Amino acid sequence: MSPWKRFWKSGDPFIWLTGGALALSILMVTGLTLLILVNGLGLFWPADVVRVTLTDGTVVMGQVAEREAIPQPGAPPATPPRYRIQVKQGNRDLTGSDFVWVEEARIAKRETPPEAVVIERREWGNLYGILGVVKEGGRVVAEGPEAGWGELQARLPQAARLSREIRRIEKKEIGAINHAQEKIRLRLRRLALGNVPAGLEVERLRQEAAAWDARYREQEGALTLLRQTSTGSVTIAAAGGKEKEVPLAQVVRAYRPNAMGLPEKVGFYLAKVWEFIADEPREANTEGGIFPAIFGTVMMVLIMSLAVTPLGVLAAFYLREYARQGPAVSAVRIAVNNLAGVPSIVFGVFAVGFFIYSVGGTIDQLFFAEALPTPTFGTGGILWASLTLALLTVPVVIVATEEGLAALPAGTREASLALGATKFETTWRVVLPAVMPSILTGLILAMARAAGEVAPLMITGVVKLAPALPIDGFWPFLHLDRKFMHLGFHIYDVGFQSPNVDAARPMVYTTTMLLLLIVLALNLAAISLRNRLRRKYAVSAL
């Protein structure tokens, strides 16, 4: 036997092959994770503001976002490399773009002025420059970078409180009034549909509507008063000699990164991370937080889990425990396995036709006729999106549960039956607990897939910006008909639909990182529960 044949038959090549495949898989996953972390973690760090003077006298001020080599096709081999930097100059309303590329060879002077200030605005993105004057009611109260900075820091908390109060009135007070007015409108319409155009009930509802109208005018007056109270502003001298006056109510925060020490920068970084997790999005989702998307994703996965688990487990139990094994059952198993390979968008199209138009339309006709032609359940919503994903992932739960049932020794069932237990008691008290780890394995795989799916959600309920969460303080508190935000769709929308791609790119990586963490947390919770069940029933079997 030749040495090569002896080596092949020894099995060592297969060990190297399998080990190499595992190493390659780990390398790919690690590389992807590192790419996301490197590009995402730097989004919130307050980088220094540089002021660059070019050889032609042009001045650019901002934060360096990227440095790359300039391609030189056809250049001789000894040609020195040329580089350029991408500067986030902000000031979109002054310059027309947030980013600008600067060739390093054209830079005549580069400095980091300590008085350079960054103003985060609610609209138009960041503003970079040197602080000029701070005004109150049109009157200058401080002038110059240092005096102005102190006055700005003293006035920003009050401006922030006013902004929060305005948002509170808009969302809670006026939101509650609008909700009540809409309820009254629907009740009046229901009475009209029931041929009750007048009467005591109608009169009472109209009086309630008039009372809510009066309350609305009160809140509107309060809002006007608050907006008139906020008269402070700050003037920033941007690079190139342009000036911009910003109302303090439009300022989210102001900071001077060049004058910040490491502890201040770390504190700033952590504050921005918290804002990213807990706040609402701004500027077409490219700034601010993504809390509505986190909430929508987690809630959709939980609803999906509640729907897919009983459906998949019951189907698997019937196939393995009750159905007569034969060609029909084999055909069903083949169909279930093939269902896992159907493109997800097909499930979305099916859900639009079945869940939304058929089931939702029928529900609207029966229970929400007064709201028609505006649909309630006859349009996309978190319930239909969750059920679509439950349908998409049910083969995973069925297969995992069936594998667990097949691995359970027949003697376990026979011992239970021999002790006098019925078939149902054996299934409920013996078989089901024993296969619970397999069920949870299927659920873990289903949750991981559901959290990352986007295509079917785009036509069954997800939106770019949801005005309200599916849970709030209005009866019935849980609003399954509402549209919702989703992290996967948020990544797609920010990454591929945003008009400002350079500004949105770091947000894509950061959102991806957060989505991975949520999937990891959900999976770890399910794995922890599965391991506890395994230990519990392993001890019970002793």
Side-chain angles (χ1 to χ4, degrees):
M1 182 180 293
S2 66
W4 171 249
K5 285 188 176 179
R6 195 164 46 250
F7 173 68
W8 180 256
K9 288 189 174 180
S10 68
D12 290 344
F14 189 69
I15 296 174
W16 281 101
L17 183 64
T18 54
L22 177 62
L24 181 62
S25 301
I26 294 175
L27 194 63
M28 291 170 63
V29 172
T30 306
L32 177 63
T33 306
L34 286 176
L35 175 70
I36 295 171
L37 291 177
V38 168
N39 287 279
L41 290 177
L43 173 62
F44 309 117
W45 186 256
D48 286 346
V49 175
V50 296
R51 183 165 58 198
V52 174
T53 305
L54 306 184
T55 52
D56 61 357
T58 305
V59 178
V60 177
M61 180 182 285
Q63 294 167 309
V64 178
E66 193 176 349
R67 181 176 184 262
E68 67 176 22
I70 300 175
Q72 302 181 74
T79 304
R82 296 164 54 198
Y83 292 93
R84 63 178 182 175
I85 58 174
Q86 186 186 39
V87 179
K88 183 180 181 182
Q89 63 177 349
N91 308 356
R92 194 187 315 149
D93 44 344
L94 298 177
T95 61
S97 64
D98 281 305
F99 291 84
V100 61
W101 286 98
V102 177
E103 185 178 350
E104 289 186 337
R106 295 179 55 216
I107 297 176
K109 186 179 180 183
R110 182 171 178 165
E111 52 190 338
T112 54
E115 69 274 17
V117 64
V118 182
I119 305 288
E120 285 188 21
R121 297 179 289 183
R122 302 190 189 281
E123 297 174 353
W124 295 101
N126 288 356
L127 182 63
Y128 295 87
I130 305 297
L131 201 151
V133 298
V134 177
K135 297 179 182 177
E136 182 63 49
R139 180 176 59 86
V140 176
V141 294
E143 189 170 1
E146 294 305 323
W149 177 249
E151 193 64 33
L152 181 63
Q153 292 300 299
R155 292 177 181 272
L156 274 182
Q158 176 63 19
R161 279 194 292 273
L162 279 175
S163 297
R164 284 196 297 271
E165 180 64 14
I166 289 172
R167 284 202 303 276
R168 187 192 67 78
I169 292 176
E170 288 176 341
K171 294 194 69 172
K172 292 190 175 180
E173 304 296 339
I174 294 184
I177 293 171
N178 290 336
H179 180 78
Q181 289 176 324
E182 178 63 12
K183 287 288 184 187
I184 292 172
R185 185 188 72 82
L186 292 177
R187 289 163 67 183
L188 286 171
R189 181 168 167 77
R190 184 183 301 170
L191 290 173
L193 291 175
N195 293 323
V196 187
L200 292 177
E201 179 68 9
V202 173
E203 188 61 31
R204 185 182 66 79
L205 290 173
R206 285 176 178 164
Q207 288 177 359
E208 283 187 21
W212 283 111
D213 286 341
R215 291 185 61 178
Y216 181 85
R217 287 192 292 274
E218 287 177 10
Q219 297 300 328
E220 205 174 30
L223 274 181
T224 304
L225 190 62
L226 284 174
R227 288 179 178 133
Q228 289 174 348
T229 306
S230 179
T231 57
S233 66
V234 58
T235 302
I236 301 294
K242 295 182 179 177
E243 288 192 347
K244 179 68 181 178
E245 184 173 352
V246 183
L248 294 186
Q250 287 294 314
V251 177
V252 178
R253 66 167 57 84
Y255 59 100
R256 298 197 295 184
N258 298 350
M260 295 167 70
L262 183 61
E264 286 179 275
K265 288 195 174 186
V266 171
F268 180 91
Y269 182 85
L270 295 177
K272 288 281 289 183
V273 169
W274 176 248
E275 179 193 81
F276 178 69
I277 295 173
D279 213 343
E280 296 181 351
R282 304 192 311 267
E283 289 288 294
N285 294 347
T286 59
E287 293 185 13
I290 56 171
F291 177 74
I294 298 173
F295 189 91
T297 303
V298 174
M299 185 172 173
M300 183 204 68
V301 171
L302 292 178
I303 296 174
M304 183 278 302
S305 302
L306 292 176
V308 74
T309 304
L311 181 63
V313 171
L314 289 175
F317 265 78
Y318 183 80
L319 287 173
R320 181 61 62 176
E321 298 290 320
Y322 294 101
R324 185 186 297 277
Q325 303 302 311
V329 172
S330 298
V332 171
R333 286 200 178 95
I334 292 172
V336 168
N337 292 331
N338 287 336
L339 201 62
V342 175
S344 59
I345 189 64
V346 176
F347 286 91
V349 173
F350 169 79
V352 170
F354 179 71
F355 289 133
I356 296 178
Y357 290 154
S358 297
V359 181
T362 304
I363 292 174
D364 282 353
Q365 291 286 348
L366 293 176
F367 302 105
F368 302 97
E370 69 276 10
L372 293 174
T374 302
T376 304
F377 281 92
T379 183
I382 192 168
L383 175 63
W384 304 137
S386 303
L387 293 182
T388 304
L389 292 184
L391 198 62
L392 178 71
T393 55
V394 73
V396 178
V397 179
I398 291 176
V399 171
T401 307
E402 267 214 278
E403 292 295 328
L405 290 170
L408 193 65
T412 304
R413 300 180 180 83
E414 292 169 357
S416 175
L417 294 172
L419 291 173
T422 63
K423 177 73 173 176
F424 173 75
E425 288 172 334
T426 300
T427 301
W428 183 254
R429 296 182 179 277
V430 178
V431 177
L432 180 61
V435 299
M436 193 59 78
S438 299
I439 295 173
L440 288 175
T441 300
L443 184 59
I444 291 167
L445 296 173
M447 287 194 302
R449 181 171 183 188
E453 278 292 344
V454 174
L457 304 180
M458 294 170 66
I459 53 177
T460 55
V462 76
V463 289
K464 176 186 178 76
L465 187 63
L469 296 175
I471 294 179
D472 60 18
F474 301 120
W475 176 261
F477 308 120
L478 176 61
H479 305 276
L480 294 175
D481 57 309
R482 284 185 181 171
K483 299 184 186 300
F484 67 106
M485 293 180 69
H486 182 267
L487 285 172
F489 182 76
H490 185 82
I491 294 169
Y492 163 76
D493 175 65
V494 173
F496 299 98
Q497 301 295 315
S498 173
N500 195 347
V501 177
D502 289 323
R505 191 186 303 129
M507 184 68 82
V508 171
Y509 286 108
T510 312
T511 308
T512 304
M513 185 173 60
L514 189 60
L515 178 59
L516 292 178
L517 288 176
I518 289 175
V519 173
L520 183 65
L522 290 173
N523 286 350
L524 286 178
I527 289 171
S528 174
L529 179 60
R530 183 184 64 184
N531 291 341
R532 288 183 58 185
L533 289 172
R534 277 179 176 165
R535 286 196 297 272
K536 176 181 177 182
Y537 291 109
V539 171
S540 301
L542 293 177

